[in-house]
Amino acid sequence: MAVKKKSIGTLLLGEWNTQTIVGVALGAALFGVLMVYGGIPVFTNTKLSSAYIVPVIVGALFGPLPAALAAFIGNVFADLLGGWGFWFDWSIGNAVAGFVVGLLPLYGANIKAGVFGVKHAIIYTVLAILGTALAFGVVTPLFTLMFFGGELTITYLQAQAAVISDASVFVVVGLPILFALAARYKSQQGLKMEDADDTQGKA
Amino acid sequence: MDNRFIIPLIPGRERLQRLTGATKVRLFTATLFVLMVSFDLRILIPGLVLQCVLLASIHPSLHKLRFIIVFIIITNAINILLFFLADPLIGSKLAGSTTVLFSLSSHFPFTGETLWYFFARLSKIASVFVASLWFALSITPSQLASGLYSLKFPYKVCTMISLGLRYIPDILRDYENTKAAMQMRGLELDPKKTSLGARLKQTTLILFPLVIITFEKVGVIANAMELRGYGQGKKRSYYCEPETTRDDIVVQILAAALFLVFAVYIVTGWISPHPDLWYPFR
Amino acid sequence: MPRKEMLPLVAQAAALVGMDGMLNRLPYELSGGQKQKVALAGVLHGRVDILLFDEPLASLDPKAGMDAMEMIDNLRRDLEVTTLIIEHRLEDVLYRPVDRIIVLNAGRVVAEGSPDDILKSRVLKQYGIREPLYVSALMDIAPDIPLPEGPLDQPGALNLSAYREAFTKFIQVEPPAPSPEKGEPLMAVQGVTFAYEDVPVLQNVRLTIHPGERIALMGENGAGKSTLARLLCGVERPVQGRILWQGKDYTTMSIAQLAQKIGYVMQNPNQMLVKDIVIQEVRLALELRRFPKEETERRVRQALTLTGLYPMRNWPIGALSYGQKKRVTIAVMLALEPSILILDEPTAGQDFAHYTEMMTFVEKLSKENAMTVLFITHDLHLALEYTDRAVLLSRGQIIADGNTFDVLCDETLLLQASLKKTSLMEMAQKLNINASAFVRRFTAFERGLARG
């Protein structure tokens, strides 16, 4: 069965239907919850936070743009729940990181069909590191400068910390989960009801 | 489990709360813009006072606030200390002058500017925080969505926000349950007893079921929404949005004025850069 | 649609389902039945020709189930709309009459007809659906007596006098089995009070659990059953009062330590499953506690065998059905060889055939290993068939604690706990015979029949 190859544009945009909207919404909620309730603070506004797997999953399921949105909205939720004020420079950075990390469908990884091999893992890792560096090393400081002006040194320090900690979360936590999810989805495919010839039974 | 404030789901009765979502959103964003951008205490202090007044008008429960206020003070104290250690002269850089009060060492002069700067920063954070408080306590997720929609955000994006907000408590509960389940399996969560590497691995054990449960819901919810006709039309109205009153118009004008202040500030900043920090004691 | 137009329509829909006083409440505050009404109101706008209900009774306690069926029936009449109800709790659906029953199996329609015909043909048994209890009683206890005139699906209208003699004799066949000895208490809950954010959930609860007991913990949704279970497992700790494990206060024990004494199997298996392969999942709890390899393998093997999952040990979790996943979660806790096993709503989401399979092996488990089993449930049938002791919770307090048949045949208690009488009980009352003895005898009888 030949499937029409999707254009880069469509892939970048991701799938948009009601499921996507709900997916982003719940993803953002999960992001917010995890960011505030799960993790260790490393440096002021930065935490080693498990929240970052959310854009990975949303990206894997729906595409990079939804992932970016989930990260952005999720970050705003986290700021709301945590009560430390809204910092949109970081929220935008998060969105960029989410976008890059959510690029999975672009290079052939299809979690819903259970496709995620070593090749994909390598691309993912490289992208995760580059994306985080871009997002928090360049984009966020840029916006901090624009919004707040004159805090460059401190922001840079925070940025380094963020890049290191978030990239490591993306890789160390993200990879196993991607593999596990792919395995879970894969095992749900191509199942046949094995009645008479299967001694291993049903429920 | 959790005693921090989470957006209420029923509109309250105070004047502030009875405004339409559109009004509240405008007021909040304009306020936010002004507060975030300015380091000028002439703006920040009145701003802080205004936010406190707005918050007081809705009679929040102090018990809940106490915990959060303490948390904020502590994190910001640490924040400021680190800022100081990283760059003791930051005040001077922003104000354009240096007035040393005393020195801890040659590397750490204590300048009036820096002190002033930290004070400004504290005020800024405090006012943003108080603003978020009154905003969060006076708006409901659906009103937030309708407010954003009135600002011409596509309504699907608005749904993402309101739906997400509404599900935060549910997901929080799921997180707690999953954590409990893993503790029963034998997961040791005490940070004193585990290495960082082990903790990263543990996180996966809690996250995986949590992710599955969360995204399991997506199909069901999307289905329910579509069953009610979601996504069919280009435009929509909002049930939760009360009728516009005179209060709304007044506040919206106020919000527009604030936004104007913000715009002026930015533009004059481009035209003739002035020191970001207003320091009166030169 | 402009808001002004919406307001009356919303009010109207709410009134149709009886929720018009509650428009300003949070969904979270509502009971399961009320939530359902709200969901229903949401789709009632405009002309509806067919109302389709997918397992409407699934998460409802018995009383709420009755209310739901009433509501559905009333709506059908008021709106003159075709109603389609998908359910396997047939007896509960028949609380209000239906015109036709359609039975599906493996994607095909295998039976269709009026309820009377379907029940008389006993086709339900073939396909793993539980017959209404009274039907089984009438047809199994005294098969020689001709069925009463009238539609079999409306027991209230039937003249059962012909059965009185047969049933009375039936009860006298066997004296009730003596209660087994109790043994030293394993856990004692002493005057425990628990509140959540200043809202009291449990008040002055007193309970003692002995080895080998089979206990049903019942009560309406929100009565505090899950909270009590969490307290027992140490996930929450009492605000007042103490909980003792084998005589000692349990506060010194961590959750992980307690899990080796009390295994808690959650209602949603997905909350517990974290690994890829079944056997890895079962091993996990032991690995986390650093059990030596040999011991781990022995326990894992035993747990898998007891739950019948040994042949499937290398299957990926994603490939399992809901029922199989539930069994995995049981195996997971069994590996720790606890003395008490708590099962939270074990029958939710499963049809009769599958749940019987699972309950049979749980029962075997408890008998062979002298393991106490505590079921949190509102399934009366489960309690009657598989437990000796029933504890009823209502609004955070224990209102009954005793022999299952005695407790569950007491009308006042049933009312308080939002449970409903079984049709057996009603039939017994109508015929003026001892309800609790009848139910007890019938339960044993059906088990005997099932074993063949």
Side-chain angles (χ1 to χ4, degrees):
Chain A
M1 183 175 67
V3 177
K4 205 170 62 160
K5 203 146 191 304
K6 294 192 184 163
S7 70
I8 287 271
T10 329
L11 282 176
L12 276 179
L13 207 52
E15 278 178 52
W16 277 103
N17 48 30
T18 316
Q19 292 223 341
T20 315
I21 298 184
V22 181
V24 172
L26 290 186
L30 187 57
F31 189 99
V33 167
L34 286 178
M35 195 135 201
V36 176
Y37 294 93
I40 335 161
V42 168
F43 194 132
T44 58
N45 293 340
T46 340
K47 271 187 189 182
L48 192 67
S49 187
S50 37
Y52 287 104
I53 57 149
V54 172
V56 175
I57 312 275
V58 175
L61 292 175
F62 302 109
L65 188 55
L69 269 175
F72 181 75
I73 301 180
N75 190 263
V76 175
F77 284 169
D79 287 345
L80 175 71
L81 284 176
W84 45 67
F86 296 108
W87 298 95
F88 288 108
D89 45 349
W90 284 92
S91 303
I92 297 181
N94 270 294
V96 171
F99 187 82
V100 173
V101 142
L103 282 172
L104 286 136
L106 226 62
Y107 49 93
N110 190 344
I111 298 285
K112 277 201 275 212
V115 177
F116 189 71
V118 177
K119 184 181 79 156
H120 301 128
I122 297 180
I123 303 184
Y124 166 79
T125 311
V126 169
L127 275 180
I129 299 180
L130 284 181
T132 325
L134 175 68
F136 300 120
V138 176
V139 174
T140 294
L142 206 66
F143 279 92
T144 313
L145 206 57
M146 252 172 46
F147 288 161
F148 306 112
E151 297 180 26
L152 215 43
T153 347
I154 293 94
T155 305
Y156 254 154
L157 283 171
Q158 277 189 303
Q160 321 290 36
V163 172
I164 298 177
S165 66
D166 296 339
S168 46
V169 171
F170 277 133
V171 177
V172 175
V173 180
L175 270 181
I177 292 204
L178 280 172
F179 276 116
L181 264 185
R184 192 61 87 91
Y185 274 110
K186 180 165 192 178
S187 58
Q188 285 173 345
Q189 304 220 323
L191 287 179
K192 296 184 294 220
M193 251 316 240
E194 294 172 303
D195 276 311
D197 53 36
D198 180 14
T199 48
Q200 297 180 355
K202 311 132 247 173
Chain B
M1 167 169 76
D2 142 86
N3 46 16
R4 312 211 185 173
F5 68 96
I6 290 194
I7 285 204
L9 297 168
I10 312 175
R13 293 203 183 278
E14 304 298 334
R15 270 180 110 168
L16 182 60
Q17 295 165 321
R18 277 185 285 139
L19 295 173
T20 67
T23 315
K24 289 182 255 194
V25 168
R26 274 161 231 249
L27 179 61
F28 181 65
T29 29
T31 312
L32 211 59
F33 281 159
V34 171
L35 290 174
M36 283 202 322
V37 116
S38 166
F39 271 96
D40 191 330
L41 275 168
R42 288 171 296 186
I43 297 185
L44 289 178
I45 298 286
L48 177 57
V49 169
L50 177 62
Q51 305 316 312
C52 291
V53 166
L54 285 173
L55 181 62
S57 81
I58 54 179
H59 309 301
S61 113
L62 284 175
H63 172 73
K64 284 190 201 161
L65 293 187
R66 227 187 329 138
F67 182 71
I68 260 212
I69 292 178
V70 167
F71 178 76
I72 297 290
I73 295 182
I74 295 183
T75 36
N76 283 301
I78 301 180
N79 193 326
I80 292 201
L81 182 63
L82 289 167
F83 266 68
F84 179 67
L85 291 176
D87 190 356
L89 289 171
I90 187 166
S92 308
K93 287 192 191 151
L94 295 175
S97 67
T98 310
T99 324
V100 182
L101 296 175
F102 61 90
S103 282
L104 291 172
S105 77
S106 62
H107 269 300
F108 292 111
F110 224 72
T111 59
E113 283 85 356
T114 306
L115 211 57
W116 198 252
Y117 167 69
F118 288 150
F119 189 58
R121 197 181 161 80
L122 260 175
S123 316
K124 181 205 289 277
I125 294 186
S127 47
V128 168
F129 168 63
V130 175
S132 335
L133 268 182
W134 69 248
F135 185 59
L137 289 175
S138 64
I139 201 169
T140 70
S142 306
Q143 280 184 352
L144 177 56
S146 59
L148 289 172
Y149 181 66
S150 74
L151 289 175
K152 303 294 185 237
F153 276 55
Y155 79 80
K156 295 196 174 174
V157 174
C158 302
T159 310
M160 286 189 234
I161 300 180
S162 66
L163 194 61
L165 279 171
R166 173 250 174 278
Y167 268 97
I168 289 182
D170 291 58
I171 296 199
L172 197 48
R173 240 172 279 137
D174 284 338
Y175 176 64
E176 299 285 330
N177 281 337
T178 314
K179 225 169 49 155
M182 287 322 290
Q183 282 180 297
M184 290 195 254
R185 298 290 268 290
L187 206 63
E188 183 56 72
L189 289 180
D190 193 343
K192 297 184 278 266
K193 296 186 187 165
T194 43
S195 71
L196 188 61
R199 293 201 68 202
L200 273 175
K201 276 213 209 130
Q202 277 176 358
T203 318
T204 328
L205 285 179
I206 298 186
L207 287 182
F208 190 59
L210 190 56
V211 163
I212 299 238
I213 291 185
T214 306
F215 287 97
E216 233 177 22
K217 296 197 190 39
V218 170
V220 178
I221 298 176
N223 214 357
M225 283 163 63
E226 283 181 347
L227 273 175
R228 310 232 198 139
Y230 184 83
Q232 302 274 343
K234 291 268 175 198
K235 300 207 275 182
R236 63 164 291 179
S237 47
Y238 280 87
Y239 177 82
C240 61
E241 188 79 311
E243 309 301 328
T244 314
T245 61
R246 207 191 60 161
D247 276 355
D248 284 295
I249 303 192
V250 167
V251 175
Q252 290 202 15
I253 295 182
L254 174 64
L258 276 174
F259 190 73
L260 212 60
V261 166
F262 166 74
V264 163
Y265 186 82
I266 298 278
V267 169
T268 56
W270 284 337
I271 300 180
S272 66
H274 45 63
D276 293 306
L277 187 63
W278 168 69
Y279 190 64
F281 309 118
R282 260 171 242 252
Chain C
M1 183 186 284
R3 185 179 185 244
K4 286 211 180 66
E5 283 180 33
M6 283 196 261
L7 288 168
L9 289 175
V10 169
Q12 204 175 38
L16 268 176
V17 297
M19 293 289 289
D20 37 330
M22 302 214 181
L23 278 174
N24 264 334
R25 299 282 201 87
L26 297 177
Y28 179 56
E29 289 177 351
L30 302 177
S31 67
Q34 289 171 324
K35 284 189 211 170
Q36 215 168 44
K37 291 187 183 180
V38 171
L40 184 52
V43 294
L44 283 180
H45 303 296
R47 246 200 70 132
V48 173
D49 294 320
I50 303 181
L51 274 180
L52 177 61
F53 294 91
D54 194 344
E55 305 224 1
L57 305 179
S59 54
L60 301 180
D61 60 58
K63 173 137 195 330
M66 295 198 309
D67 291 340
M69 284 315 302
E70 250 184 69
M71 176 187 73
I72 295 177
D73 196 39
N74 291 341
L75 265 179
R76 181 190 60 86
R77 255 179 302 130
D78 295 339
L79 297 178
E80 290 178 11
V81 70
T82 307
T83 317
L84 191 70
I85 305 174
I86 301 174
E87 252 302 343
H88 40 74
R89 288 169 56 171
L90 182 60
E91 181 166 359
D92 295 324
V93 170
L94 289 178
Y95 175 64
R96 284 297 178 91
V98 300
D99 301 314
R100 269 200 299 161
I101 298 181
I102 303 176
V103 182
L104 288 173
N105 187 49
R108 292 216 181 90
V109 173
V110 292
E112 190 186 330
S114 72
D116 194 36
D117 292 334
I118 297 276
L119 289 179
K120 287 195 174 126
S121 70
R122 308 206 86 178
V123 70
L124 296 168
K125 282 183 105 146
Q126 263 184 292
Y127 293 109
I129 312 227
R130 163 170 256 157
E131 290 182 320
L133 287 178
Y134 67 90
V135 169
S136 308
L138 292 177
M139 292 193 169
D140 292 336
I141 297 179
D144 302 326
I145 302 183
L147 290 173
E149 299 255 324
L152 203 52
D153 56 303
Q154 295 303 309
L158 300 174
N159 181 345
L160 303 171
S161 46
Y163 289 85
R164 179 175 295 128
E165 199 189 310
F167 284 1
T168 319
K169 257 204 262 178
F170 178 68
I171 307 180
Q172 287 158 359
V173 169
E174 205 176 281
S179 339
E181 272 186 30
K182 279 214 174 160
E184 282 302 305
L186 280 179
M187 276 200 104
V189 177
Q190 298 178 337
V192 161
T193 301
F194 184 77
Y196 185 73
E197 283 185 10
D198 301 330
V199 174
V201 178
L202 289 175
Q203 289 175 10
N204 206 5
V205 168
R206 224 168 269 127
L207 183 68
T208 317
I209 302 178
H210 305 268
E213 284 191 298
R214 301 179 306 161
I215 310 176
L217 183 60
M218 310 178 76
E220 77 236 314
N221 285 340
K225 312 189 291 275
S226 296
T227 313
L228 183 54
R230 289 160 76 97
L231 278 169
L232 288 174
C233 297
V235 172
E236 310 274 9
R237 304 283 173 162
V239 166
Q240 271 178 17
R242 316 186 291 167
I243 298 189
L244 306 177
W245 169 259
Q246 292 186 326
K248 270 178 29 170
D249 195 324
Y250 86 149
T251 33
T252 50
M253 302 171 71
S254 71
I255 297 183
Q257 285 175 303
L258 280 169
Q260 285 182 258
K261 321 282 185 211
I262 313 165
Y264 181 37
V265 178
M266 299 188 159
Q267 186 175 352
N268 183 353
N270 282 322
Q271 257 175 344
M272 289 178 62
L273 298 175
V274 294
K275 289 285 187 179
D276 298 330
I277 312 269
V278 173
I279 192 171
Q280 289 174 350
E281 191 74 51
V282 182
R283 270 195 203 120
L284 181 64
L286 300 170
E287 287 175 347
L288 285 175
R289 288 174 173 77
R290 307 223 208 286
F291 271 59
K293 191 143 190 352
E294 253 177 59
E295 178 68 8
T296 305
E297 291 310 307
R298 177 191 76 78
R299 289 189 179 212
V300 166
R301 192 196 186 90
Q302 185 176 47
L304 287 171
T305 317
L306 282 172
T307 49
L309 290 168
Y310 195 72
M312 295 177 252
R313 64 191 179 283
N314 287 313
W315 279 23
I317 299 263
L320 300 176
S321 71
Y322 183 80
Q324 286 167 326
K325 283 188 189 168
K326 273 224 122 124
R327 278 204 268 165
V328 173
T329 55
I330 297 182
V332 160
M333 294 325 268
L334 284 182
L336 290 171
E337 298 186 349
S339 316
I340 304 180
L341 191 65
I342 302 183
L343 292 173
D344 198 340
E345 300 285 357
T347 59
Q350 294 197 65
D351 59 60
F352 182 55
H354 289 137
Y355 119 79
T356 307
E357 254 184 74
M358 185 175 77
M359 292 306 297
T360 318
F361 98 73
V362 168
E363 194 184 33
K364 203 170 79 143
L365 213 59
S366 89
K367 282 216 184 95
E368 291 176 3
N369 304 11
M371 190 171 63
T372 310
V373 185
L374 184 87
F375 301 101
I376 301 179
T377 182
H378 25 67
D379 188 339
L380 269 159
H381 301 158
L382 184 154
L384 289 171
E385 282 174 50
Y386 297 103
T387 65
D388 313 302
R389 177 178 166 199
V391 176
L392 293 188
L393 269 182
S394 176
R395 276 183 254 258
Q397 294 185 301
I398 295 190
I399 56 174
D401 180 354
N403 180 290
T404 308
F405 295 104
D406 295 330
V407 168
L408 293 182
C409 291
D410 179 329
E411 274 196 72
T412 12
L413 286 177
L414 287 178
L415 207 63
Q416 260 188 293
S418 275
L419 299 171
K420 75 172 195 186
K421 300 192 265 190
T422 63
S423 53
L424 289 179
M425 198 178 141
E426 289 196 10
M427 201 162 62
Q429 286 178 331
K430 224 169 121 173
L431 292 176
N432 241 312
I433 53 183
N434 183 322
S436 111
F438 183 62
V439 174
R440 185 195 319 234
R441 176 73 187 98
F442 177 74
T443 311
F445 177 71
E446 285 285 294
R447 308 281 289 295
L449 272 191
R451 286 191 199 121

